[in-house]
Amino acid sequence: MSTKKFLLEEKEIPTAWYNIVADMKNKPLPPLNPGTKQPLKPEEFYPLFAKELVDQEANQTDPWITIPDEVRELYKQWRPTPLVRAYGFEKALDTPAHIYFKNESVSPVGSHKLNSALAQAYYCKKEGLTNLTTETGAGQWGAAMAYAAKAFGLELAVYMVKISYEQKPYRRSIMQTFGAQVVASPSMSTKSGRKILTDNPNYMGSLGTAISEAIELALQTENCKYVLGSVLNHVMLHQTVIGLESEKQMEKAGEFPDVVVACFGGGSNFAGISFPFLRHNLTQGKEIRFVAAEPASCPKLTRGEFQYDFGDEAGYTPYIPMYTLGHTFAPPHIHAGGLRYHGAGSIVSQLKKDNLMEAVDIEQLDAFKAGVLFAQTESIIPAPESSHAIAAVVKEAEKAKLEGKQKTILFNLSGHGLIDMAAYDSYFAGELSNYSLSKADLAKSLDPLEKII
Ligand SMILES: *Cc1c(COP(=O)(O)O)cnc(C)c1O
């Protein structure tokens, strides 16, 4: 058996994150004030986010941002993560492709989210804050943020999308174990939550709604700011440790990826594994392909519009340039809660617009089928989100087989599914279905968008 795992030493954890914006020819468009349509200055975000995070968000010049020692020290609890050659999976697919995955599921909370959570908690603590608010969909971000807040002695309130609060009680327990306060969203504790519940008492929530509630609480609480687990530039930045480690590990494996694949919610794990490799395309003329795997039920990249939109349902955030389905889009209740977001971050949106990356949409049943095959051949039960990436890898591997061509595929295993077994149960019981969204379904939330671009 050839080598399967490519490991790095602790001292090889990256010392800086990679800021791709510095190398992009077309920079992402600026966020706008929704009233005046004027670009917002970084200072205008200081009331909501920690100052250093805002400065990272706006940084278009420095390709490398030093990782603070305190954060790097905490990364050592599980980083560097393994890069694995998926021999078993390759064999089951009978493909000439070489398939590698970066295993981010080994973090203490089971997903990549901790890479940014620890960095954000660090900068908030450094600024002298005592309290944080955030939202969570399937619960992975909330769990990561709860862990990070505890590590830095901060209090955290989490608004958790109600459908997940009920379907995934164990993620709630994990957050509570780390000392966070968890509220099902929409809730009666905020103005935006009360309005939504008054209009639609049975609404099971969305990330957009939970964001509105978390922002509202942060703005009303002393010494408190808001943190977000995806979409924003600084989150993409922190996640680049994934790809930076992978670069070194692929080198150890003696290969280089032809295609890099990741699932796509707001874009952070995709950015994390892709951007350090995309750097080779931007600065050295390489032609690596990058494929974002999104759910067919929430297809912002493949069927959305590139337009300014709100990041949340109630419209509290600035206008953000993004591929969007419209901020009022209510995605079907698929079991990959982490992918149920209406928009894509502004960096990835610009990259998509400039054809520097691709996107595919994946049906829910194909994701579970691929996830089960992966579990049986590689001994890790993937998160339903990650299974979307795995299904996209299956497509790439089948293409390689048809063409009779060897190619090297690298994908990010963003998390494990051990706390998502209820979703697997529903799949085995035949209770899950695919969702096809008609043009009319999409038009409901897309048509009302102000056309600014
Ligand atoms: C949150 C999450 C995602 C989706 O979020 P991105 O910001 O697009 O990465 C994917 N996989 C897992 C395991 C997650 O927790």
Side-chain angles (χ1 to χ4, degrees), residues 185-221:
S185 167
S187 77
M188 296 299 281
S189 71
T190 62
K191 216 165 73 190
S192 49
R194 283 194 295 275
K195 174 167 188 318
I196 288 162
L197 283 176
T198 309
D199 295 348
N200 183 357
N202 297 323
Y203 188 49
M204 292 307 282
S206 72
L207 271 180
T209 307
I211 293 174
S212 304
E213 293 204 274
I215 290 180
E216 194 181 317
L217 181 63
L219 292 175
Q220 286 169 0
T221 308

Side-chain angles (χ1 to χ4, degrees), residues 74 77 114 118 121 125 144-154 178:
L74 287 163
Q77 290 175 353
L114 203 50
L118 285 170
K125 179 70 181 185
M145 208 50 234
Y147 179 101
K150 185 49 79 185
F152 285 100
L154 296 159
F178 290 125

Side-chain angles (χ1 to χ4, degrees), residues 53-323:
L53 294 170
V54 174
D55 295 345
Q56 290 178 355
E57 188 71 18
N59 189 323
Q60 302 197 329
T61 48
D62 303 319
W64 301 102
I65 310 279
T66 303
I67 303 176
D69 286 341
E70 292 86 339
V71 174
R72 216 168 152 267
E73 219 32 61
L74 287 163
Y75 278 173
K76 287 181 186 167
Q77 290 175 353
W78 79 101
R79 307 207 70 86
T81 61
L83 178 85
V84 184
R85 170 90 183 261
Y87 282 109
F89 193 53
E90 285 173 17
K91 190 158 169 237
L93 294 172
D94 188 24
T95 175
H98 295 183
I99 302 175
Y100 291 82
F101 64 93
K102 178 70 165 162
N103 188 0
E104 288 295 306
S105 81
V106 299
S107 95
V109 294
S111 81
H112 69 286
K113 295 268 185 359
L114 203 50
N115 297 327
S116 185
L118 285 170
Q120 295 192 45
Y122 166 78
Y123 290 115
C124 290
K125 179 70 181 185
K126 198 175 155 206
E127 190 170 301
L129 302 175
T130 53
N131 289 66
L132 300 177
T133 72
T134 195
E135 75 296 319
T136 195
Q140 285 106 328
W141 170 247
M145 208 50 234
Y147 179 101
K150 185 49 79 185
F152 285 100
L154 296 159
E155 297 289 329
L156 174 70
V158 184
Y159 286 93
M160 183 173 191
V161 177
K162 193 181 278 172
I163 181 90
S164 298
Y165 188 91
E166 290 175 7
Q167 278 180 355
K168 315 205 168 188
Y170 294 134
R171 286 242 168 69
R172 165 164 45 88
S173 324
I174 292 173
M175 289 183 256
Q176 288 165 337
T177 302
F178 290 125
Q181 189 196 340
V182 189
V183 184
S185 167
S187 77
M188 296 299 281
S189 71
T190 62
K191 216 165 73 190
S192 49
R194 283 194 295 275
K195 174 167 188 318
I196 288 162
L197 283 176
T198 309
D199 295 348
N200 183 357
N202 297 323
Y203 188 49
M204 292 307 282
S206 72
L207 271 180
T209 307
I211 293 174
S212 304
E213 293 204 274
I215 290 180
E216 194 181 317
L217 181 63
L219 292 175
Q220 286 169 0
T221 308
E222 199 66 23
N223 258 326
C224 178
K225 286 190 179 172
Y226 165 72
V227 287
L228 182 62
S230 186
V231 179
L232 296 177
N233 302 352
H234 64 266
V235 184
M236 312 281 156
L237 173 76
H238 303 150
Q239 293 296 350
T240 58
V241 287
I242 303 173
L244 292 167
E245 286 179 7
S246 304
E247 256 185 303
K248 293 184 198 163
Q249 288 163 309
M250 289 301 300
E251 198 176 313
K252 284 197 184 205
E255 297 212 61
F256 198 75
D258 297 301
V259 52
V260 178
V261 180
C263 66
F264 196 100
S268 78
N269 91 94
F270 172 81
I273 191 141
S274 296
F275 288 2
F277 288 98
L278 186 49
R279 177 170 162 260
H280 296 256
N281 287 15
L282 296 181
T283 65
Q284 296 155 30
K286 282 238 196 255
E287 292 184 355
I288 312 163
R289 290 173 52 227
F290 299 90
V291 178
E294 61 179 8
S297 57
C298 196
K300 58 226 134 200
L301 291 171
T302 51
R303 298 177 69 192
E305 260 175 49
F306 183 66
Q307 192 47 270
Y308 273 103
D309 195 7
F310 293 110
D312 68 318
E313 176 145 2
Y316 285 166
T317 72
Y319 265 161
I320 303 168
M322 46 161 69
Y323 274 91

